[in-house]
Amino acid sequence: MVNQSARNLRLRKTDTIGVIIPLAHEAGQMISDPFFLEMVGRLADEITRRDYLVLLNKVITGEPGWLDRIIQSHRADGLLIIGQSTQHDALNGVAATYRPMVVWGAPIPGHRYCLVGSDNHEGGRLAVSHLVARGRRRIVFLGEIDAPEAIQRFEGYRAGLMEAGIAFDPALVIPSHYTREDAQGAVEGLLASGVAFDAVLAFSDVLALAALTTLQRAGKRVPGDVAVVGFDDILLAQHSTPPLTTIRQDLEAGARIMVDLLFRRMAGDSSPSTISPVRLVARESA
């Protein structure tokens, strides 16, 4: 009987899948962020169902060669990357020679890696359309615009305004890092500035939930005074008070597709990039 460990060592096979979260753009964001917890959990379910182990790695450096070093360590048979951060060039740089890699993110012209994601642009547009249909005209975009998914959600926000005949106002773009604490500070600053607004579209549900509670503490009624819309539809979204209207990405299907495509690539097959539709889930916050 062949010793499986010896055979795997000879073949450099680890029966392990690496799950990498690159955060060169946002070193303060934690793996305990609800979006990452849900995505990592769903990926782990799919990976372990195939009798593989999971190796989780948060990368906060954009130093050249970080991805090559992970690949050359041979600690995993394939890699799943959650988010492109600012590392599109690094991902593109290994795509031609390293096949067993699938990236969650947003399509960028010229990307050579296998990509799975959601229609972020349409999500931003849908959210604004929903708010405008409910009489909102002064719609804030809350979040940074420094990574592909964020950029496309922001572009969808602008497209929704244009469709409604509403002029884009830079004063309504409120930067916030991807943490609850930073979003709270950003909304407090917005309230103190005196800028008029009647709705908030946040980059993520985490930021939207922070905005919702900060507005309520300031005496604002949600949605009476300010409507709030998030993005992702994490599990917490339906349990806030009021429950959060949001753009739903199907993370369960996304994780399944990522793992399916990765194992196809590990077997030497080709696999297409996949962008899935999103939908608006209307709850009481808007």
Side-chain angles (χ1 to χ4, degrees):
M1 184 174 179
V2 177
N3 184 293
Q4 187 65 33
S5 296
R7 182 176 182 274
N8 284 355
L9 186 62
R10 188 173 68 254
L11 298 174
R12 280 190 165 171
K13 189 170 182 292
T14 64
D15 291 329
T16 298
I17 299 300
V19 176
I20 300 174
I21 304 174
L23 290 172
H25 69 297
E26 190 67 37
Q29 197 173 11
M30 308 297 287
I31 292 177
S32 56
D33 177 292
F35 171 81
F36 287 140
L37 280 180
E38 186 166 340
M39 195 63 177
V40 169
R42 293 191 182 283
L43 288 172
D45 285 343
E46 294 294 330
I47 292 165
T48 55
R49 194 172 289 134
R50 297 171 185 255
D51 295 324
Y52 273 67
L53 301 174
V54 179
L55 178 63
L56 182 60
N57 192 350
K58 173 184 171 182
V59 178
I60 61 173
T61 178
E63 193 177 300
W66 67 268
L67 184 53
D68 300 271
R69 286 190 288 276
I70 289 173
I71 291 168
Q72 289 161 12
S73 73
H74 300 292
R75 296 175 67 193
D77 298 335
L79 299 178
L80 296 169
I81 317 288
I82 305 178
Q84 294 138 304
S85 183
T86 55
Q87 299 303 299
H88 166 71
D89 290 341
L91 296 167
N92 247 7
V94 305
T97 54
Y98 184 74
R99 298 281 298 160
M101 180 178 78
V102 177
V103 179
W104 174 270
I108 299 173
H111 76 85
R112 297 190 291 271
Y113 44 87
C114 180
L115 183 90
V116 176
S118 301
D119 192 339
N120 292 284
H121 184 281
E122 176 63 5
R125 191 199 66 78
L126 270 177
V128 171
S129 176
H130 178 78
L131 289 165
V132 170
R134 278 142 192 82
R136 311 295 167 145
R137 306 285 294 180
R138 300 282 296 168
I139 303 169
V140 165
F141 184 90
L142 177 66
E144 297 290 353
I145 311 165
D146 57 357
E149 288 176 289
I151 292 167
Q152 293 186 10
R153 291 175 196 182
F154 177 67
E155 289 172 347
Y157 159 80
R158 293 198 62 169
L161 293 176
M162 187 179 297
E163 280 181 13
I166 299 172
F168 170 68
D169 184 351
L172 295 177
V173 179
I174 306 302
S176 169
H177 293 296
Y178 300 110
T179 65
R180 185 178 183 87
E181 295 76 19
D182 210 72
Q184 177 181 323
V187 174
E188 287 171 350
L190 172 64
L191 290 165
S193 74
V195 171
F197 65 101
D198 56 14
V200 174
L201 166 58
F203 163 79
S204 70
D205 287 347
V206 171
L207 301 193
L209 292 169
L212 191 155
T213 55
T214 304
L215 289 165
Q216 290 173 327
R217 280 196 209 108
K220 300 291 185 183
R221 294 173 300 125
V222 178
D225 299 318
V226 182
V228 178
V229 178
F231 205 115
D232 288 332
D233 199 23
I234 59 174
L235 296 174
L236 289 173
Q238 58 191 293
H239 299 298
S240 60
T241 305
L244 184 67
T245 295
T246 187
I247 300 296
R248 184 170 195 267
Q249 308 191 80
D250 190 340
L251 299 184
E252 181 180 5
R256 185 174 63 250
I257 292 166
M258 285 184 76
V259 174
D260 284 346
L261 294 182
L262 179 65
F263 275 81
R264 282 171 56 179
R265 294 177 77 82
M266 286 162 54
D269 298 332
S270 61
S271 60
S273 292
T274 304
I275 300 300
S276 299
V278 296
R279 67 182 180 89
L280 185 129
V281 179
R283 299 191 182 104
E284 284 82 350
S285 72

